[in-house]
Amino acid sequence: MIYIHVPFCRRKCNYCAFNSAVGDDAEKISYVEALTREIELRADFSQVESIYFGGGTPTTLTLAQLEKIFDALTKNFSVDERAEITIEANPSTVDENFLRGLKSIGFNRLSLGVQSFDDALLKILGRIHDSRTALETVALAEKFFDNVSIDLMYGLPTQTLEILSRDVARVKNLGIQHVSIYGLEVERGTKFFSDGVTVDENLCADMYDFITETLPTFGFRRYEISNFAAKNFESRHNLGYWTGKKYFGFGAGAHGFDGKIRTSNVCDTATYIQKIFAGEDVSEVEEIVTRQAAMEEFCFLGLRVVEGISAKTFAKNFGAQIFDVFGSVIEKNQRLGLLEVDGDKIFLTKRGMALGNEVFADFLF
Ligand code: SF4
């Protein structure tokens, strides 16, 4: 698995705490040069089953720049011909030509940051697109890609259940294959934070319930706490994170995991570029994953997935029985109606899915 971070956006959204900023052309040229150098330096030629270009907004780069990065990947890694290759895009940053170009470069999955189809909400969020552009972009995307995902947000200022239900209803006839949902979190450093925006947790919970009950009626199965897909269109890349696969992360602020050590690249884009050009290491060890931490991660990441975790796989991975290590945690959450055990499988109940963070916290010693 490979993650590529592109830290540029046309404009900073009011709620966004991601590592992204508005970059100029010169900075983008230098960044692409630095990024391809990092990829070459860490050439591995191992088999890659998924690639994910995220950000920021990767489609603020030109097609030529994206192709240059893509070429560096295929020259320095062994990319499986059936690999899932996703690029995040925002409505307003792609047109028909651009989408055709993405397809011919080799991307086979498009993730569109729609967030809402409500113009007033899109304005509050500070998005650069309006509802009409979002609908037009989804329709165009369907022309070139048979695997299209959209992001939807809930818990937003002024958003009511009725407004949300209109957004969700739109999904039914879009012809897309995947939906990711995000509840608003007001994070430090964002405009929402300095404006004192707050989230109504009760309304947020009702909205989450509404979405999780409605999307399956349109043929989208919930396969993870916040992700829904038509059959066989689950994101293989994201499933990889939740099931503990190794991954490379290239670019400013990108994270990597080799099965034992978690690393992170320097976040600041200018420093990242400067260090790469100076021949300095941009990555530092973030965490050496101990056996105990690996057992905890196996549980709290794996439980995000609807199928849950396997007691047999736990025993195979760690040479210990899951009930010996986490027996009291599992029992407590079973009693609370948040976890269920069925043969080899341990998984979150419907209520547990809504209160996932409380369950996960219990698995941390
Ligand atoms: S487009 Fe995405 S990454 Fe860029 S500022 Fe908005 S939310 Fe953040």
Side-chain angles (χ1 to χ4, degrees):
M1 289 170 51
I2 294 178
Y3 174 75
I4 299 288
H5 190 74
V6 179
F8 305 113
C9 287
R10 288 259 178 90
R11 185 170 74 198
K12 192 76 180 166
C13 299
N14 296 336
Y15 59 95
C16 180
F18 293 126
N19 181 25
S20 70
V22 180
D24 61 25
D25 287 350
E27 196 178 10
K28 287 178 190 168
I29 290 168
S30 304
Y31 186 75
V32 170
E33 191 57 43
L35 188 55
T36 49
R37 276 203 209 174
E38 190 196 2
I39 294 167
E40 285 159 11
L41 281 170
R42 293 167 60 197
D44 182 278
F45 302 104
S46 57
Q47 191 80 357
V48 173
E49 286 162 12
S50 67
I51 299 175
Y52 194 104
F53 279 52
T57 307
T59 46
T60 52
L61 296 182
T62 64
L63 285 170
Q65 288 170 327
L66 290 168
E67 189 164 24
K68 187 175 157 96
I69 302 167
F70 199 90
D71 282 350
L73 289 173
T74 50
K75 281 190 189 123
N76 293 283
F77 289 83
S78 175
V79 181
D80 190 297
E81 59 180 25
R82 289 152 303 165
E84 176 189 275
I85 306 176
T86 305
I87 184 161
E88 289 179 349
N90 281 322
S92 286
T93 61
V94 290
D95 58 13
E96 185 155 357
N97 270 341
F98 204 95
L99 290 169
R100 188 181 293 112
L102 292 177
K103 171 98 179 172
S104 70
I105 288 172
F107 293 99
N108 55 27
R109 184 171 183 272
L110 194 74
S111 175
L112 284 170
V114 169
Q115 318 309 353
S116 172
F117 294 102
D118 184 281
D119 281 335
L121 273 184
L122 288 168
K123 242 190 195 133
I124 290 171
L125 291 172
R127 302 291 302 190
I128 54 170
H129 66 272
D130 59 15
S131 165
R132 212 180 84 187
T133 317
L135 289 166
E136 284 169 2
T137 309
V138 173
L140 269 180
E142 283 295 317
K143 225 171 124 177
F144 296 99
F145 294 89
D146 57 15
N147 193 349
V148 176
S149 177
I150 65 164
D151 293 346
L152 281 183
M153 293 186 77
Y154 62 97
L156 305 174
T158 74
Q159 189 181 32
T160 59
L161 259 174
E162 198 194 331
I163 294 173
L164 177 78
S165 70
R166 284 203 292 270
D167 270 356
V168 175
R170 294 258 197 200
V171 173
K172 187 173 183 181
N173 298 317
L174 288 180
I176 55 171
Q177 290 71 33
H178 189 280
V179 183
S180 298
I181 61 168
Y182 297 91
L184 177 67
E185 284 176 26
V186 180
E187 297 189 51
R188 205 169 275 279
T190 62
K191 181 164 188 310
F192 272 8
F193 185 86
S194 50
D195 287 351
V197 170
T198 53
V199 176
D200 178 339
E201 295 297 342
N202 289 331
L203 181 58
C204 220
D206 288 346
M207 288 180 167
Y208 178 78
D209 287 344
F210 175 79
I211 300 171
T212 57
E213 274 158 28
T214 310
L215 286 181
T217 66
F218 302 161
F220 296 94
R221 183 182 77 98
R222 175 167 59 169
Y223 68 99
E224 191 266 351
I225 290 181
S226 305
N227 284 278
F228 302 75
K231 196 161 182 248
N232 297 328
F233 284 95
E234 295 82 7
S235 160
R236 277 149 51 198
H237 188 85
N238 286 339
L239 277 170
Y241 290 133
W242 301 316
T243 51
K245 288 205 174 148
K246 301 173 186 178
Y247 52 90
F248 289 88
F250 297 118
H255 293 254
F257 177 53
D258 69 0
K260 289 198 171 70
I261 297 173
R262 291 194 182 282
T263 53
S264 62
N265 279 358
V266 55
C267 254
D268 179 67
T269 303
T271 313
Y272 169 84
I273 295 169
Q274 179 210 326
K275 275 184 171 264
I276 293 269
F277 287 157
E280 292 171 23
D281 197 355
V282 288
S283 112
E284 60 179 41
V285 172
E286 198 174 52
E287 183 193 5
I288 296 171
V289 182
T290 61
R291 180 169 175 271
Q292 177 64 35
M295 289 193 286
E296 292 169 4
E297 278 184 11
F298 176 92
C299 294
F300 70 73
L301 288 177
L303 282 170
R304 298 190 63 89
V305 180
V306 166
E307 277 72 31
I309 50 179
S310 150
K312 273 190 207 139
T313 310
F314 185 94
K316 192 169 135 239
N317 290 2
F318 304 110
Q321 298 303 320
I322 194 165
F323 292 99
D324 291 342
V325 184
F326 294 111
S328 58
V329 174
I330 294 169
E331 274 163 32
K332 175 191 152 190
N333 283 286
Q334 269 183 297
R335 269 200 313 279
L336 292 170
L338 303 177
L339 268 188
E340 213 167 295
V341 179
D342 183 9
D344 175 50
K345 288 287 191 184
I346 301 156
F347 51 90
L348 291 174
T349 60
K350 192 173 162 228
R351 198 170 126 72
M353 282 271 159
L355 299 171
N357 286 341
E358 291 179 22
V359 182
F360 305 149
D362 273 352
F363 280 88
L364 295 172
F365 284 134

